[in-house]
Structures are given as C-alpha cells and as structure tokens.
Amino acid sequence: MKKTAPRPPALDDGLSAWHRSLIDRRRFLLGAGGGGLAMLFGPPHTARAADDDRTWETLDLVQQHLFPSETQAPGAREINALAYLRFVVRDPKVDAEERDFILHGAGWLDGIAREMHEAPFRDLDDSQRESVLRRVAASQAGENWLSLLIYYLMEALLTDPAYGGNPDGIGWKWLAHIPGFPRPTADKTYPRLLS
C-alpha cells in the first residue's frame, strides 16, 4: 500500500498551531520541577505573578528592545504594544498559566539583570539589555517567553485598532495592508479591559 505524505496545515492554522506549541512546551517546562525554567529563572513560584508598575515597566522596555521605533517604521510604542499586552493579560479568557508566564518572566528577567549587571533591567543601557536578553534566549524556557512576547507584538501590530493595538491602523499603513471589511463594531469586540 502506497503511503501518501501528510497534507500541510492551512496557512491560517499555522500561527495558531505555533502558539499552541508554545503553550504546550511552556506547560511541560512549568510542570518539570527543577527543569529548564527553574534553572534559568530560579525556583518555581506558586504565588500569583506580580501585576504592578515595575513589572509593566520591564515588559515595556523588553517590547521596545525587541521592536524598536525607527524613522520610517513604527515600534512597540507606536503600535500601543504595552496597552495591548495589558489587555491580553487582563482578559479573563486568557489561560492563567500564560498570563503568569508573561508576568513572572519580567521578574525573572530582572533577577538575571541583577545577577549579570547588579541592576534591574530598567536601569541597564541598550548593550547590557541585549546581553541579558541573549542569555534568556539561550534557554528553551527563555526562548518561549521571548517568543510569546513577540507573538503579542505582532498581534498589536496587525490587530484591528478596536482591540487596543495598531492605533489608527499605523501597522497596516506601514505594511501597506488593506484590512478586511466589515471591520468590527463596538458590540462585536472583546470588552475593553485597557486601563
């Protein structure tokens, strides 16, 4: 009997499958006591991740480092990436493990910054931040955390402005993208959780 090659997933399924694989890998790492996550970020925490100003300041700086502003291109600040990430993290429909992973990551990143440079991430210069992020990216758990932040940066860049990112369609304009119609109306969007 002749075997046929499996059919590739539809393009629309590719991003969703990639996102699911991040979650699956992250759950594995979170569940593996003393595993890769603990080695990179320290012992696992059972307490709820901090949702405070310092956490958000660190996440903002990471986003700006990963997706900097340029003269001819919007960066994290222009696409409203931090407000969009707040929306995601505070959305009750978002998986609690994913929310905690994002928020704990900021604290763990500060710990690594202090270990490497004796200062929190927010007090480092660009080259020091780069060295900290490269160290984080060298582990599977850290790569997953950064990949998740990049995933939400891309969502903020490409989402309809009704969801809090991509204000005035700045990302669409930069990419010369014409959005589909009809666009979402206020009664067809997620509740506005932006603060």
Side-chain angles (χ1 to χ4, degrees):
M1 181 178 224
K2 185 178 177 182
K3 285 189 174 183
T4 58
R7 289 181 26 182
L11 184 58
D12 293 344
D13 293 340
L15 190 55
S16 295
W18 173 79
H19 187 235
R20 280 191 307 277
S21 74
L22 280 178
I23 292 170
D24 291 344
R25 286 187 300 225
R26 186 173 58 258
R27 282 189 181 131
F28 169 77
L29 290 168
L30 286 170
L37 188 63
M39 288 179 2
L40 173 66
F41 294 132
H45 301 282
T46 56
R48 184 118 178 111
D51 182 356
D52 58 25
D53 290 342
R54 286 186 177 175
T55 298
W56 289 108
E57 181 182 6
T58 300
L59 289 168
D60 186 29
L61 291 168
V62 172
Q63 288 182 321
Q64 289 181 47
H65 194 89
L66 294 173
F67 199 59
S69 302
E70 296 182 11
T71 308
Q72 300 296 320
R77 183 173 289 142
E78 291 80 19
I79 63 171
N80 212 14
L82 185 65
Y84 183 77
L85 188 62
R86 280 184 196 260
F87 166 77
V88 167
V89 166
R90 292 180 178 165
D91 184 346
K93 295 178 183 175
V94 170
D95 180 71
E97 287 181 17
E98 181 168 311
R99 177 181 14 256
D100 287 347
F101 188 65
I102 290 168
L103 295 173
H104 275 306
W108 296 321
L109 183 73
D110 263 344
I112 291 170
R114 288 176 195 279
E115 176 189 315
M116 292 176 67
H117 301 290
E118 299 178 356
F121 190 78
R122 68 182 167 279
D123 292 344
L124 304 181
D125 63 32
D126 283 342
S127 67
Q128 291 171 320
R129 287 179 183 161
E130 180 71 18
S131 69
V132 170
L133 291 172
R134 287 192 179 273
R135 179 165 172 200
V136 167
S139 76
Q140 187 65 55
E143 183 181 335
N144 286 349
W145 184 72
L146 290 169
S147 293
L148 190 60
L149 291 181
I150 291 169
Y151 174 84
Y152 286 119
L153 277 166
M154 293 302 102
E155 275 195 5
L157 175 70
L158 300 171
T159 192
D160 191 285
Y163 298 108
N166 190 21
D168 299 320
I170 190 171
W172 295 341
K173 291 172 190 169
W174 176 52
L175 296 169
H177 171 70
I178 300 170
F181 292 97
R183 301 224 350 247
T185 58
D187 63 327
K188 302 291 184 196
T189 60
Y190 286 121
R192 301 291 281 183
L193 300 175
L194 302 175
S195 55

